[in-house]
Amino acid sequence: MAATSMDSYLQVLYSTVDAKKTPLPTSWSCKDKDNFIKLSHMQLRAHYKGYSLSVKDTSCVRSDHPIPLACGLYYFEVKVIDKGIKGSIAIGIGTKKMNLSVLPGMQKNSFGYLGNSGGKFWGSEVGRAYGPPFTTNDTIGCGVNLVARQIFYTKNGKNLGEAFSGTLFDVSPVLALYPTVGLQSKGEVVEANFGQSRFLYNIKNDIKELKKKVASSIIDFPIKNEHSRLPAVFHSLVSSYLMHQGYYSTAESFARCTGQELDKELLSIKSRQRIQDLVSSGRMEEAINTTLACYPTLLDSHSNLFFLLKVHHFIELIGTLNNKSFSAVSLEAATASLFALQHEAENDVEMKETSSRDSHLDTVTDSAEDDYHEMADGPGPSNAFASQGNISRTRRHVTDEGLNRRTVMRIIQLGRELLIQKSTLEKQYGVNETNNDILAKAFSLISHTNRPLEGPLSELFDTTQREVLGDAINSAILEANQLPKKSALHLIIGYVRELLLIMAQNVVPCLPNTTREQPTKFSSELMTKRTCIRTSDLYF
């Protein structure tokens, strides 16, 4: 199976596992093995190279990574390439504490299925009858159900039934478990399949059934004396989310349907919704105007947000020129003017500072217009294009093809304002790489004015950029009105994510009616990370 196919196969089986944080086993470990074990075939095949004179010559090897607890149900297979002299091959799981000179299952914190007898072993050299013996060309699978705390085996794709569960699965839930194989006689060779090829046994169905069982146990879990309050709590959560996000009309309709009253203090969400609508539709100039009108001091206290709004206004202005033809004269005029300004800013040339808040909506200054006329009409390299024909004819051609000279000059003027504002922000707060990057990309758009929406910087016009900006201004307004930045629903989702992460790293969950473990460090870690939901954190 190709690497990409293997990854997708494992992602389907273990969709809840974050492989970056908790990698899945991929091979036998070249470090966690006895000296009598030799590895080959991408460290998937294990060869016994010991003396096989006594049980003391036993050799084991563990997988390179432990089983992620988030798997729920983990499965791997081992094919017997050669049973060797005795076929005393043990397949199972063990912890890091397991001695690699003793077969898995015959020592504490390990479980094994022995090939020459078909017996199962756990923490002792005395085993019990379990399944049929296995030999050369047989494929043995091992499934570890971390939810119900059970282990089962398969032989050549057939489930042999439960091997260990309940009190037999006595390993601590906070100890990492590793797929393990033990070899004991000359000639023994086995090869592991950790998902690099499809398993003989259809483990996918078992995983699906387990998920259904877990979901059912959650749905059926009794909530004592809370049934009457739950609808009101859920309605309040939804209502607060809608109000927080600025969906006033939907919040009103929902309140009428559920018999709730809207908080009068939150009726200002109409203006928030208006501003968000303007941002999401790309009408940045109107969004800035509306914000200044409704919240006069907001952008002064959030200068970085104000800067980003203006940068996106610059970007949207470039976007309005999409598919319009430009004469080389006007294009070069705009390009030269902007990059000359950028060059001045980079070399700390003193620029006359203007009020960026009040001037960004004014008509273009005389200097910007002079720049444009000088580049378009005056002598010099940029006028070389005009020498190919009469200038008045060129201007007529430009006008006929829809060139908006006022828009081009507005872009030049706005670019000048942005450079001044960036310089001011850097003096106050230091260099902001994010601001520098977005401004550099915005200025680069001037070279792609014919088709900016299709050029290499088309990502700047992606709607997700506007959504992020809309959320940022919404949070700023909420903060200014001393309202929570996040809705109760957002907080709960954050708590649940953190809770799942801690559970996956520290504790194995149990289904109802299964063995419950003693309290672990899980409880204290919950409190340390403050993941318990407090009513003071919630906003209804």
Side-chain angles (χ1 to χ4, degrees):
M1 188 186 294
T4 53
S5 300
M6 175 188 173
D7 291 341
S8 59
Y9 179 52
L10 292 175
Q11 284 172 4
V12 170
L13 292 179
Y14 311 118
S15 58
T16 57
V17 174
D18 185 344
K20 292 181 179 179
K21 294 180 179 178
T22 53
L24 290 158
T26 58
S27 67
W28 297 122
S29 172
C30 58
K31 296 179 180 178
D32 271 349
K33 69 179 186 68
D34 188 79
N35 292 333
F36 290 151
I37 294 282
K38 179 185 176 183
L39 301 178
S40 67
H41 293 69
M42 305 292 288
Q43 298 185 154
L44 293 168
R45 186 170 289 189
H47 308 252
Y48 179 77
K49 298 295 181 180
Y51 304 109
S52 67
L53 298 176
S54 68
V55 293
K56 293 182 179 180
D57 294 328
T58 299
S59 294
C60 299
V61 60
R62 280 190 284 264
S63 59
D64 54 353
H65 300 292
I67 300 170
L69 295 178
C71 283
L73 174 55
Y74 180 77
Y75 182 79
F76 69 101
E77 289 183 344
V78 176
K79 183 176 181 179
V80 180
I81 304 300
D82 193 331
K83 75 176 184 66
I85 297 175
K86 299 179 180 178
S88 50
I89 300 169
I91 297 168
I93 62 170
T95 68
K96 197 81 169 178
K97 295 180 179 180
M98 195 190 105
N99 188 336
L100 293 175
S101 296
V102 180
L103 289 176
M106 297 188 182
Q107 55 181 306
K108 190 177 180 181
N109 294 325
S110 68
F111 307 86
Y113 173 29
L114 193 59
N116 55 9
S117 68
K120 62 180 181 180
F121 296 80
W122 67 102
S124 171
E125 294 183 1
V126 179
R128 292 184 186 176
Y130 170 64
F134 54 86
T135 185
T136 303
N137 292 325
D138 283 334
T139 297
I140 303 301
C142 180
V144 185
N145 188 328
L146 295 166
V147 178
R149 299 184 63 71
Q150 298 169 346
I151 298 175
F152 68 91
Y153 289 92
T154 66
K155 180 180 178 182
N156 298 326
K158 182 181 178 181
N159 196 322
L160 300 178
E162 181 185 293
F164 310 100
S165 66
T167 55
L168 298 186
F169 198 155
D170 60 352
V171 64
S172 171
V174 297
L175 292 177
L177 299 174
Y178 292 78
T180 307
V181 67
L183 309 177
Q184 205 177 62
S185 69
K186 282 187 178 180
E188 292 175 352
V189 183
V190 297
E191 184 170 323
N193 178 9
F194 294 111
Q196 66 270 17
S197 58
R198 294 198 177 274
F199 299 122
L200 291 185
Y201 178 70
N202 189 358
I203 191 62
K204 189 176 179 181
N205 287 342
D206 289 33
I207 293 174
K208 195 178 295 183
E209 281 300 313
L210 178 62
K211 287 182 178 180
K212 286 182 181 178
K213 193 174 181 181
V214 171
S216 177
S217 70
I218 294 171
I219 293 170
D220 296 338
F221 189 83
I223 305 176
K224 297 179 181 179
N225 303 321
E226 293 292 333
H227 289 291
S228 59
R229 291 188 62 245
L230 281 179
V233 171
F234 291 148
H235 291 163
S236 184
L237 279 173
V238 174
S239 180
S240 69
Y241 171 77
L242 293 172
M243 298 286 280
H244 186 278
Q245 294 300 111
Y247 304 135
Y248 184 78
S249 299
T250 307
E252 275 190 321
S253 300
F254 184 78
R256 284 196 300 269
C257 292
T258 57
Q260 295 184 90
E261 290 186 7
L262 294 178
D263 191 336
K264 301 300 180 184
E265 294 180 2
L266 297 180
L267 294 179
S268 64
I269 64 170
K270 283 186 176 181
S271 58
R272 288 195 285 122
Q273 184 181 32
R274 170 65 178 160
I275 293 168
Q276 282 189 298
D277 288 344
L278 290 171
V279 171
S280 63
S281 61
R283 294 151 68 186
M284 298 299 172
E285 189 171 40
E286 290 182 62
I288 294 172
N289 272 339
T290 305
T291 304
L292 292 174
C294 297
Y295 310 99
T297 62
L298 182 74
L299 294 181
D300 283 339
S301 57
H302 293 79
S303 52
N304 195 63
L305 175 60
F306 187 24
F307 176 78
L308 291 175
L309 281 168
K310 289 180 68 173
V311 171
H312 280 275
H313 177 36
F314 181 92
I315 291 168
E316 299 295 342
L317 279 176
I318 296 287
T320 63
L321 305 177
N322 193 46
N323 292 325
K324 291 184 178 180
S325 299
F326 288 83
S327 69
V329 177
S330 61
L331 179 59
E332 184 156 329
T335 304
S337 181
L338 276 177
F339 284 97
L341 283 169
Q342 190 176 33
H343 178 73
E344 289 176 6
E346 290 172 353
N347 289 278
D348 295 320
V349 175
E350 184 177 354
M351 293 181 289
K352 184 179 180 180
E353 200 162 326
T354 60
S355 172
S356 59
R357 181 185 129 184
D358 297 328
S359 68
H360 84 280
L361 298 176
D362 292 344
T363 55
V364 294
T365 60
D366 292 339
S367 60
E369 192 165 1
D370 291 343
D371 287 344
Y372 184 86
H373 284 304
E374 183 180 346
M375 293 295 294
D377 300 337
S382 62
N383 202 36
F385 296 99
S387 65
Q388 297 174 8
N390 186 274
I391 292 178
S392 62
R393 187 170 68 249
T394 302
R395 282 179 177 165
R396 221 173 22 250
H397 169 73
V398 168
T399 303
D400 292 342
E401 295 188 3
L403 172 63
N404 189 333
R405 188 183 70 180
R406 184 180 177 82
T407 301
V408 173
M409 289 192 292
R410 182 75 193 96
I411 291 170
I412 295 170
Q413 172 62 13
L414 188 55
R416 175 172 288 153
E417 292 173 13
L418 285 169
L419 288 172
I420 292 172
Q421 191 171 358
K422 182 176 83 76
S423 177
T424 302
L425 287 173
E426 287 180 349
K427 288 176 183 177
Q428 291 178 341
Y429 308 108
V431 176
N432 186 316
E433 294 299 335
T434 302
N435 287 353
N436 288 346
D437 182 60
I438 187 74
L439 188 60
K441 288 180 178 179
F443 276 7
S444 297
L445 280 173
I446 201 69
S447 301
H448 305 278
T449 45
N450 281 344
R451 291 184 179 273
L453 303 183
E454 302 171 14
L457 297 171
S458 58
E459 65 188 50
L460 295 176
F461 299 95
D462 193 275
T463 54
T464 55
Q465 302 274 352
R466 299 173 184 171
E467 289 172 4
V468 171
L469 202 56
D471 288 342
I473 197 167
N474 185 52
S475 294
I477 294 171
L478 289 168
E479 182 184 7
N481 288 316
Q482 296 183 333
L483 295 171
K485 292 182 181 180
K486 294 184 178 181
S487 68
L489 194 58
H490 278 118
L491 285 173
I492 290 174
I493 291 172
Y495 290 138
V496 171
R497 283 176 178 163
E498 184 69 16
L499 179 63
L500 290 174
L501 178 62
I502 295 172
M503 288 176 67
Q505 293 175 343
N506 296 287
V507 71
V508 178
C510 292
L511 283 174
N513 302 321
T514 60
T515 303
R516 294 188 179 273
E517 298 295 324
Q518 294 297 317
T520 65
K521 67 175 182 177
F522 172 61
S523 302
S524 59
E525 187 151 352
L526 272 179
M527 298 304 295
T528 303
K529 289 181 176 284
R530 307 177 73 87
T531 54
C532 294
I533 299 175
R534 300 171 301 173
T535 54
S536 59
D537 286 330
L538 301 182
Y539 159 63
F540 296 103

